[in-house]
């Protein structure tokens, strides 16, 4: 087996994790057989249908129901609903022999050792040499599971611990057993990174592996501090959320989401499987958790845990917090703390941590005590749960969504200073940390020669990147910046390809980015062979600078706004006219102007988690950076490809009929501000073309975009000539307007929505011209700009813009 040749998989167990894994295999283009047990009795529906226990619909019921459920689940486990067709249902009694047809069999049944052993025994009866068999266990020993299996089977057996929800959580822990073939482990690691898009760490076969071991210990420390020092639930979550570089769900809300019974099980797993008395004492389930579980308050799934949702006096939803002293619920109280406020104002996780720890108040003390114990524990477990600090840090970033792993955190707060403080408080540093400090080192990570080094067994070791990973940060550190300003940079990717990187606040498009686009086109035209548009920000681009537009509109600076939009349009048009290939590589949120920055590209290489959409109507505007023009142009080309017309103006009635459905589709998508739920969904919505690509691992986007640009060159790239194209004209405008009026009369949209819809229809259809009229791109841009300017002057639009800036969501007025 090589990493490329997992052509078919079998997943055994159709619960939340099993169905999630099957869905993600389907996302990755891998046909999958999903198996579960045969139901013991008929449902009432099956009885009404006259089915018998032997009918396949009955015997496969559990897997079939799981596949149906994944199509409707939220958050969606599938990139696109139709991917469910790649999953076939089956059952363990009839279909287990079919594992012989697979390349990978994944066991995802109940977390009980004997049940897993029994299933592996059954699997081996039909297993053929070379098939990888793995267990998706969160903490059961791989070696104990494999007891009794043949040596050949054990060589192909390992743990593959996916994190839930499988599609969205990056971490995958691969856990080899003593008998696992090391070469196979590395091949599976490569496969899961490239094909499944996972961040893979190699864990040791110890209780709860890496992420759950550190993460569970950290949560136990939180609960111990809460019990000993009397911290409230609100104080705990205020400190252990974004202020510490952790998710908004912080600690106690996370426990409610996970389930307190599940947490207790994970805690018990370490205590029961460690021979170290000190470790057993560390993993004692806290009294508050025991009491909540005993009383059936398991968290969100039962409606109550550390928090409980209730109804207020006016019928509104109210969240109450647990008072551990009484084990009853009370209204939430917002903590007041100078250190929390300082952390909130600080920029970046390292600065937030330093502000939080330096406050000298109650919350600052809590943060220090939590961090101190977690950092020391992580260092103490190095070598036991993983071979390197890098694996531990990645596991916590990818599995628990920490901004910084434990050792990155230690560097951020000052390794030497914090270690001295720990020792002054009577803490013992792990021997290897003391030796590292004694050798004169002041951090666990260091940047040298444009690369990242980390502490490894008393020496520096370089962080190795896969060939498909390109780090813009490291390229810049090595002197790869060609040009730069406050909002964007041009970076040499090598092989004649340049990257245009956005790095303005929130990657919002402003004058700096537009100037760099113009300069970048000139630079590539003179000295390079291709251009990639990509960045490593949290989001690709959330649109244009809305605050600037609102300020200009409120001051009635119409000439200024006109100039801003012209600059945007001209930059996009210049980008499109570059005689060299342009490839865009969006990720996460690419909204409004972010989409328009991709539209001039010859090809788009998107991340699977790309949330892509022209959302301007949400703030009372329409796309004006070329968005309407480009989708009108695509509609014209699609009409020509349909064979009804050659798009040259012949047969007006045929052309109008061919154009209409494509323009109407764009009108509905843009007019409803639809945003894709994935890169694949962006293709379904028509935002991306069928020729555009989605690359499995988001870390590979920039490399894939660079290779795509080079591929276009190898294939004999020809610049796209400017051509006039046919528009739907006044007939198309009338049809789209009628649809909008019907929605207004039905109460689905407001009067202002209708006004925006009419402007959008006018811009998409090409204005008041006959259907089939040939127009230039500049003509269409002028229509967009005029509509945009007129809407900027509307008070209701300005209210929408203000609401978005202050509330972060659309206002329907």
């Amino acid at each position: 087996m090589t990493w490329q040749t997992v052509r078919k998989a079998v997943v055994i167990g159709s619960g939340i994790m099993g169905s999630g894994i099957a869905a993600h295999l389907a996302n990755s283009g891998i046909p999958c057989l999903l198996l579960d047990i045969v139901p013991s009795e008929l449902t009432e529906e099956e009885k009404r249908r006259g089915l018998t226990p032997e009918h396949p619909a009955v015997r496969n019921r559990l897997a079939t129901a799981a596949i149906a459920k994944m199509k409707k689940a939220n958050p969606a486990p599938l990139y696109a609903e139709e991917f469910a067709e790649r999953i076939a249902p089956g059952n363990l009694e009839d279909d287990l022999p079919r594992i012989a047809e697979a390349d990978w069999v994944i066991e995802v049944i109940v977390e009980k050792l004997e049940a897993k052993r029994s299933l592996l025994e059954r699997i081996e009866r039909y297993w053929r040499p070379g098939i990888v068999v793995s267990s998706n266990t969160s903490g059961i020993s791989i070696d104990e599971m494999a007891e009794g299996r043949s040596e050949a089977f054990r060589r192909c057996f390992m743990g593959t611990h996916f994190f839930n929800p499988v599609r969205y959580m990056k971490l995958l822990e691969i856990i080899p057993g003593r008998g696992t073939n090391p070469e196979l482990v590395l091949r599976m690691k490569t496969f899961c990174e490239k094909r499944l898009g996972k961040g893979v760490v190699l864990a040791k076969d110890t209780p709860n592996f890496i992420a759950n071991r550190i993460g569970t210990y950290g949560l136990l420390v939180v609960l111990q501090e809460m019990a000993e020092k009397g911290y409230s639930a609100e104080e705990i979550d205020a400190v252990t959320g974004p202020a510490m570089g952790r998710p908004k769900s912080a600690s106690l809300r996370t426990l409610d989401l996970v389930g307190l019974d599940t947490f207790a099980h994970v805690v018990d797993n370490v205590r029961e499987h460690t021979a170290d008395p000190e470790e057993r004492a560390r993993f004692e389930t806290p009294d508050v958790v025991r009491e909540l579980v005993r009383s059936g308050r398991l968290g969100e799934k039962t409606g109550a845990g550390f928090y409980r949702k209730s109804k207020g006096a006016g019928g509104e939803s109210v969240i109450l917090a647990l008072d551990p002293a009484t084990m009853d619920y009370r209204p939430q109280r917002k903590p007041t703390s100078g250190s929390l406020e300082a952390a909130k104002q600080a920029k970046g996780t390292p600065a937030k941590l330093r502000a939080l720890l330096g406050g000298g108040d109650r919350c600052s003390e809590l943060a220090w005590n939590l961090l101190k114990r977690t950092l020391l524990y992580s260092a103490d477990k190095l070598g036991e749960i993983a071979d390197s600090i890098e694996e531990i840090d990645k596991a916590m970033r990818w599995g628990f969504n920490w901004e910084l792993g434990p050792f990155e955190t230690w560097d951020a707060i000052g390794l030497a200073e914090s270690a001295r403080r720990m020792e002054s408080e009577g803490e013992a540093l792990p021997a290897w940390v003391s030796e590292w400090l004694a050798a004169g080192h002041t951090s666990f990570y260091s940047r040298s020669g444009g690369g990242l080094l980390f502490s490894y067994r008393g020496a520096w070791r370089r962080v190795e990147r896969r060939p498909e990973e390109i780090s813009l940060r490291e390229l810049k550190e090595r002197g790869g910046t060609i040009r730069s300003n406050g909002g964007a940079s041009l970076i040499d990717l090598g092989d004649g390809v340049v990257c245009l990187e956005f790095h303005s606040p929130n990657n919002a498009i402003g004058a700096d980015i537009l100037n760099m686009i113009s300069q970048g086109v000139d630079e590539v035209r003179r000295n390079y062979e291709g251009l990639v548009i990509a960045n490593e920000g949290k989001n690709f681009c959330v649109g244009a600078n809305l605050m600037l537009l609102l300020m200009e509109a409120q001051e009635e600076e119409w000439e200024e706004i006109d100039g801003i939009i012209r600059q945007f349009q001209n930059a996009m048009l210049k980008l499109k006219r570059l005689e060299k290939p342009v490839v865009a590589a969006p990720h996460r949120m690419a909204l409004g102007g972010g989409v328009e920055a991709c539209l001039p590209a010859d090809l788009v290489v998107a991340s699977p988690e790309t949330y892509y959409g022209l959302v301007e109507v949400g703030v009372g505007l329409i796309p004006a950076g070329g968005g309407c023009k480009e989708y009108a142009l695509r509609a014209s080309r699609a009409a020509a490809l349909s064979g009804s017309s050659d798009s040259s103006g012949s047969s007006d009635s045929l052309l109008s009929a061919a154009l209409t459905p494509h323009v109407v589709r764009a009108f509905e998508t843009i007019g409803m501000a639809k945003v894709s739920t994935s890169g694949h969904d962006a293709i379904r919505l028509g935002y991306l073309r069928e020729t555009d690509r989605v690359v499995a691992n988001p870390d590979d986007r920039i490399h894939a975009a660079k290779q795509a640009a080079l591929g276009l060159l190898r294939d004999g790239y020809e610049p796209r000539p400017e051509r006039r194209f046919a528009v739907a004209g006044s007939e198309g405008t009338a049809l789209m307007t009628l649809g909008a009026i019907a929605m207004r009369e039905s109460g689905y949209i407001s009067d202002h929505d209708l006004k925006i819809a009419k402007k959008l229809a006018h811009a998409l259809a090409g204005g008041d011209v006959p259907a089939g009229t040939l127009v230039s791109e500049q003509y269409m841009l002028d229509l967009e700009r005029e509509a945009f300017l007129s809407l900027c002057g509307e008070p209701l639009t300005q209210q929408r813009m203000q609401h978005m800036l202050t509330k972060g969501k659309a206002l329907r007025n």
Side-chain angles (χ1 to χ4, degrees), residues 53 216 222 229 277 332 379 381 402 424 466 588 603 634 667 733 768 801:
T216 301
V222 165
K229 308 287 176 57
Q332 290 192 77
K381 293 304 161 187
W402 291 7
S424 72
R466 296 180 296 112
R588 301 291 296 176
L603 185 72
R634 289 187 186 184
F667 175 72
T733 301
D768 298 322
M801 295 165 76

Side-chain angles (χ1 to χ4, degrees), residues 667 734-744 749:
F667 175 72
L735 182 63
M736 289 183 276
T737 300
L738 280 174
I741 291 171
M743 292 186 70
R744 176 66 191 102
I749 63 175

Side-chain angles (χ1 to χ4, degrees), residues 305-476:
F306 282 100
Y307 296 93
R308 188 183 77 190
K309 186 177 289 188
S310 184
K311 291 288 185 183
E316 73 280 8
S317 181
V318 176
I319 304 296
L320 305 176
L322 180 75
D323 181 346
T326 64
M327 293 304 292
D328 205 351
Y329 296 90
R330 54 161 179 74
Q332 290 192 77
R333 297 191 288 259
K334 185 177 180 179
T336 56
S337 161
S339 61
L340 283 174
E341 189 59 34
K344 184 178 180 180
Q345 298 302 320
K347 301 297 183 184
T349 299
K352 287 180 181 296
L353 283 167
R354 291 191 292 269
L356 182 61
L357 294 176
D361 57 20
R362 178 177 170 82
C363 288
S364 185
E365 180 185 358
L366 172 62
W368 168 250
N369 288 334
L370 298 179
L371 277 177
K372 174 178 68 173
R373 294 173 64 182
T374 303
L375 299 182
L376 288 170
Y377 184 79
S378 301
D380 186 53
K381 293 304 161 187
L382 181 66
E384 178 184 337
I385 63 175
D387 279 331
S388 77
I389 65 169
E390 185 195 14
E391 296 290 277
I392 293 174
D393 279 345
K394 289 193 295 190
M396 298 315 298
R397 281 193 278 109
W398 295 341
F400 275 70
N401 290 323
W402 291 7
E403 291 289 335
L404 300 173
F407 299 96
E408 294 165 324
T409 297
W410 213 336
D411 279 359
I413 65 174
L415 171 59
E417 308 93 287
S418 58
R420 284 194 295 268
R421 181 177 173 183
M422 291 174 189
E423 289 183 307
S424 72
E425 294 174 355
E427 304 290 350
L429 299 177
W432 74 269
V433 176
S434 295
E435 291 166 5
W436 184 252
L437 289 167
H441 300 297
T442 58
S443 65
F444 290 120
Y445 289 90
S446 175
R447 291 195 172 272
S448 176
L452 183 62
L453 309 176
F454 68 96
S455 167
Y456 184 77
R457 297 180 179 176
W460 289 113
R461 180 172 177 174
R462 187 169 295 278
V463 172
E464 298 296 333
R465 295 192 180 277
R466 296 180 296 112
E468 297 82 8
E469 289 184 83
I470 290 178
S471 167
L472 297 180
R473 175 178 177 174
E474 291 182 4
L475 287 175
K476 288 189 285 187

Side-chain angles (χ1 to χ4, degrees), residues 669-680:
T669 302
I670 299 170
M672 296 178 70
K674 292 182 180 179
V675 176
S676 72
T677 56
S678 68
H680 298 85

Side-chain angles (χ1 to χ4, degrees), residues 62 109 260 267 394-395 455 484 572 643 713 757 764 789:
L62 295 181
I109 65 168
L260 295 169
V267 171
K394 289 193 295 190
S455 167
S484 187
M572 297 304 107
L713 283 170
L764 281 171
L789 278 167

Side-chain angles (χ1 to χ4, degrees), residues 625-667:
C628 294
K629 178 261 295 183
E630 283 296 322
Y631 285 107
L633 176 55
R634 289 187 186 184
S636 181
R637 287 174 177 166
L641 289 172
S642 70
S644 299
S645 166
D646 63 3
S647 189
S648 62
S650 62
S651 184
D652 288 351
S653 60
L654 284 176
L655 178 59
S656 179
L659 262 173
T660 297
H662 299 290
V663 176
V664 168
R665 182 188 184 194
F667 175 72

